[in-house]
Amino acid sequence: MLEDKIIQNADFFIKAINDHNERMSKIKTVNKLQTTELKDISIYLRIRPLMPPEIEQNSFEICLPNKNNPYKACVYEPAFRFDNKPVIKTQNFDFDYVFGPNDDNKTVYDNSIQSIVEVSLAGALGVVLCYGQTGSGKTYTITGIEEYLAVDLFNKMDKVINDMNLRSLETFNDRPFEITVSFFEILGSQCYDLLNNKEEIFIMEDKFRNMNIKGIKEYDCLTSDDLLKYINIGFSHRKTHATLKNDTSSRSHAICQIRIHNTVINQANDGIIYLVDLAGSERHADSKFHSKERLKETKDINSSLLTLKECIRARTLSTLGLQQHIHVPFRNSKLTTLLKETFDIEYCIRPCTTIFIANVSPNCLDYSHTINTLRYSSPLKVSQKTGYDPLKKKSYNLKDPSTWEHKHVIQWIEKSSNGAINPEFLVPNNENGIQLSNIPEMEFIRRCLLSKGMTEKRAKLFYLKLWGLIVDCRTKQRKAKLSSKPKPKYDTSMDEEMIRRYELEKKLGIYDAPKEEARKKLMELDGKGFN
């Protein structure tokens, strides 16, 4: 077997990999400093360490972070030539950051997830997705992230309260933030509440195009321990099943929803964090011994993961200033329908950020699994198109906030609010139109309330007025892109020929003649032809 041959030639492969790493170490190192700006979608890779049983069987690592470039992963394929001589094939994959076998959950959390806590407390939407083949450590990663996030969420409340100056508002109380949690799973097209005896729930869209979960039970959390308790209960009820690769393979998408309600600014939308442990994807070879039920599950899982990939990639492409309209097929699965606000750029009315963490095994015997995961996840990191400059100024358009400079923002605030809102309070840092649009709803309303005589309701309406402009502008841009497509030419020659034939038949009295006579006239006409 191939696996036995790989283990037998382990010394050769290890030496070849080490030699390649040594050559790579002589190349100029890429600056490891990352931008602190929170992106719409970030793609990370985590490589787990080898497990003790794998080390005992003489397995070796074939997937490692690039020593000189923390944004690349190197994969070494152990292969054999036609004459059975071992060879190593190398491939590189790009990510926003690559976490190696020595990086623990705390390192992963601090460098990828931590930033979404504050923006979610301010009313934004944060989504964390953990993906990987069965047995790659994705459940271990997401549970570790949930532990740190639960503590961080309560610890950062005071910082957000101070940053937003909530204590200055009359409505400030002893509990400015209410945290609730729910935990459910998606099995194909069915959803079940894992904190309520697996009662079936339904993901539905209301008349305002907002996604709601009908029948879900939410639990109030006063401390981080309360939050972790419900998370652990949810995971214990999740559906798992033994497969060829893992004795407890995840057979559903497990979703922890954390809702953050600001009791000081009641008019603002709730901040939401989705922590998603995706079902383990499988190759056909791994499912050949599955029962009929397992095969159906595998089909549903892979279909859902493919839709997710298409949505993330299309959503990223839609932000690159391309001239054509990019369709995001978020309605093709229950998971992406739930995350509609993340993908539906036209109707999203608040800042959203999505963090995707791909998990892989470095085991040489899992090469095919690892390369499949990398080929799935690396393309999600879309490169900027040639000549695209996001900082290039657009010509000013009163109805497009993305074209506004600071002076235009001030003019719009004064005119649209009839002088009721002081621009110095709403945009104290010389924000432009894009920066104004990225202010979380709670912070936007809080700044408006600093103006004398302003109420929460009026501030909320003013926020919706801004986002009404943004949505209208996106819709017009989409229609313009669709209308710019060349329309297929319709051949009217056939229609004209049918009309001429009808007029000729009517002139000859075929429609009024007896059946036999009409048939003779048609035969004569067909024999002669007509012009």
Side-chain angles (χ1 to χ4, degrees):
M1 289 179 63
L2 179 61
E3 293 181 352
D4 295 332
K5 288 175 64 177
I6 291 174
I7 296 298
Q8 291 169 7
N9 291 273
D11 292 340
F12 169 84
F13 290 124
I14 292 171
K15 184 178 184 304
I17 292 171
N18 290 337
D19 290 345
H20 181 270
N21 283 335
E22 187 177 345
R23 290 194 302 271
M24 293 298 295
S25 64
K26 298 177 182 179
I27 301 175
K28 185 177 179 182
T29 303
V30 174
N31 187 356
K32 294 189 178 184
L33 292 177
Q34 287 185 284
T35 176
T36 57
E37 182 183 355
L38 195 62
K39 299 168 61 177
D40 283 353
I41 297 179
S42 300
I43 311 298
Y44 296 95
L45 175 70
R46 186 181 191 186
I47 306 168
R48 71 162 172 83
L50 286 174
M51 299 291 103
E54 296 170 337
I55 296 173
E56 289 176 5
Q57 68 176 145
N58 204 27
S59 292
F60 54 90
E61 295 176 320
I62 51 87
C63 184
L64 296 166
N66 188 312
K67 288 185 177 180
N68 303 304
N69 189 339
Y71 315 121
K72 283 185 180 291
C74 295
V75 185
Y76 305 94
E77 178 186 0
F80 295 89
R81 298 193 324 179
F82 66 93
D83 56 359
N84 280 332
K85 286 188 177 181
V87 292
I88 279 286
K89 299 178 182 179
T90 307
Q91 294 186 60
N92 291 306
F93 294 87
D94 294 326
F95 292 89
D96 286 305
Y97 199 83
V98 178
F99 298 100
N102 296 325
D103 294 322
D104 57 14
N105 279 339
K106 184 70 166 65
T107 302
V108 174
Y109 176 80
D110 289 343
N111 292 278
S112 61
I113 312 298
Q114 189 179 39
S115 55
I116 72 169
V117 173
E118 288 186 30
V119 296
S120 298
L121 282 167
L125 171 66
V127 180
V128 180
L129 299 153
C130 264
Y131 168 80
Q133 298 280 354
T134 295
S136 62
K138 58 184 177 53
T139 300
Y140 175 81
T141 298
I142 196 70
T143 51
I145 286 171
E146 287 168 341
E147 289 176 5
Y148 289 110
L149 186 141
V151 175
D152 209 22
L153 190 61
F154 284 87
N155 288 344
K156 285 191 174 177
M157 283 185 184
D158 284 339
K159 183 179 185 304
V160 173
I161 290 169
N162 292 331
D163 290 346
M164 295 178 64
N165 198 21
L166 293 180
R167 288 187 175 88
S168 64
L169 301 178
E170 294 180 0
T171 52
F172 185 78
N173 55 70
D174 293 337
R175 195 183 176 194
F177 293 104
E178 291 180 351
I179 309 293
T180 58
V181 63
S182 57
F183 207 114
F184 57 99
E185 67 178 352
I186 297 178
L187 280 163
S189 58
Q190 276 77 45
C191 307
Y192 302 97
D193 189 343
L194 297 180
L195 297 179
N196 188 23
N197 300 318
K198 287 199 172 184
E199 289 289 328
E200 187 170 5
I201 56 178
F202 304 92
I203 298 172
M204 308 178 76
E205 187 174 13
D206 64 21
K207 60 183 179 181
F208 300 109
R209 296 196 172 188
N210 297 318
M211 301 310 303
N212 294 295
I213 307 174
K214 184 180 178 182
I216 192 75
K217 193 170 183 179
E218 295 183 291
Y219 294 85
D220 193 21
C221 299
L222 298 176
T223 65
S224 58
D225 290 337
D226 291 341
L227 182 54
L228 285 173
K229 178 185 72 175
Y230 290 118
I231 290 174
N232 292 331
I233 292 173
F235 266 115
S236 68
H237 293 158
R238 183 190 186 181
K239 183 171 184 180
T240 60
H241 198 278
T243 65
L244 193 63
K245 292 296 296 179
N246 190 358
D247 290 337
T248 56
S249 174
S250 305
R251 309 308 295 168
S252 65
H253 302 312
I255 303 163
C256 174
Q257 176 186 260
I258 301 172
R259 186 183 300 278
I260 305 160
H261 176 62
N262 189 323
T263 62
V264 181
I265 306 175
N266 283 305
Q267 293 291 331
N269 285 332
D270 295 340
I272 294 178
I273 300 176
Y274 287 116
L275 302 172
V276 185
D277 181 14
L278 297 167
S281 61
E282 294 179 335
R283 302 174 305 154
H284 175 68
D286 299 323
S287 59
K288 59 186 177 182
F289 299 114
H290 282 358
S291 64
K292 186 176 180 180
E293 182 184 0
R294 296 288 86 74
L295 284 172
K296 184 179 184 305
E297 287 175 356
T298 300
K299 180 182 176 182
D300 291 339
I301 289 168
N302 291 339
S303 174
S304 175
L305 292 174
L306 179 60
T307 299
L308 176 64
K309 175 183 178 180
E310 292 173 350
C311 287
I312 293 177
R313 186 166 174 80
R315 172 64 177 81
T316 307
L317 284 170
S318 65
T319 64
L320 295 185
L322 303 180
Q323 294 304 311
Q324 72 269 27
H325 169 66
I326 306 295
H327 174 62
V328 184
F330 61 85
R331 297 189 190 278
N332 289 357
S333 80
K334 283 291 181 183
L335 175 63
T336 50
T337 299
L338 172 69
L339 303 178
K340 172 193 175 223
E341 194 170 358
T342 298
F343 301 123
D344 193 1
I345 190 171
E346 287 185 22
Y347 296 100
C348 176
I349 60 171
R350 62 171 160 180
C352 300
T353 183
T354 300
I355 295 171
F356 184 95
I357 303 177
N359 296 265
V360 295
S361 162
N363 188 352
C364 59
L365 303 183
D366 287 334
Y367 169 78
S368 56
H369 292 274
T370 298
I371 201 70
N372 282 345
T373 298
L374 294 172
R375 286 172 178 166
Y376 175 97
S377 53
S378 183
L380 300 178
K381 178 175 167 50
V382 179
S383 301
Q384 299 284 5
K385 69 169 188 170
T386 304
Y388 173 65
D389 181 8
L391 300 178
K392 184 179 179 181
K393 288 186 177 180
K394 300 178 183 178
S395 56
Y396 171 66
N397 182 349
L398 176 64
K399 296 182 179 181
D400 184 359
S402 67
T403 66
W404 297 352
E405 296 180 13
H406 179 62
K407 61 181 181 181
H408 301 133
V409 171
I410 293 176
Q411 292 171 5
W412 180 81
I413 293 172
E414 291 176 342
K415 183 177 180 180
S416 299
S417 68
N418 294 321
I421 296 175
N422 188 339
E424 292 182 3
F425 294 144
L426 186 54
V427 285
N429 302 313
N430 297 325
E431 288 92 342
N432 59 24
I434 294 177
Q435 292 168 329
L436 176 68
S437 304
N438 287 331
I439 297 174
E441 183 180 3
M442 290 182 192
E443 173 64 8
F444 188 99
I445 294 174
R446 198 272 305 173
R447 293 184 186 183
C448 290
L449 291 175
L450 296 176
S451 298
K452 190 175 181 180
M454 181 58 54
T455 63
E456 276 191 30
K457 186 174 181 181
R458 290 179 65 190
K460 170 79 172 184
L461 291 173
F462 192 64
Y463 178 81
L464 294 176
K465 190 171 188 177
L466 171 65
W467 275 94
L469 279 178
I470 296 170
V471 171
D472 288 344
C473 183
R474 288 172 179 170
T475 304
K476 288 177 182 177
Q477 289 174 353
R478 177 179 62 85
K479 289 181 178 179
K481 289 176 181 178
L482 290 174
S483 62
S484 64
K485 289 184 179 181
K487 296 181 179 179
K489 293 183 178 179
Y490 181 71
D491 187 4
T492 59
S493 59
M494 197 60 118
D495 291 342
E496 294 173 356
E497 184 177 347
M498 291 175 65
I499 292 171
R500 289 169 54 203
R501 171 79 182 210
Y502 169 75
E503 291 177 347
L504 183 58
E505 290 175 353
K506 188 175 180 180
K507 184 178 180 180
L508 295 174
I510 292 175
Y511 298 117
D512 298 325
K515 185 175 180 180
E516 286 298 321
E517 185 179 344
R519 188 169 65 84
K520 289 180 181 179
K521 289 184 178 182
L522 283 172
M523 291 176 64
E524 291 176 1
L525 185 60
D526 291 337
K528 294 179 181 179
F530 71 97
N531 296 316

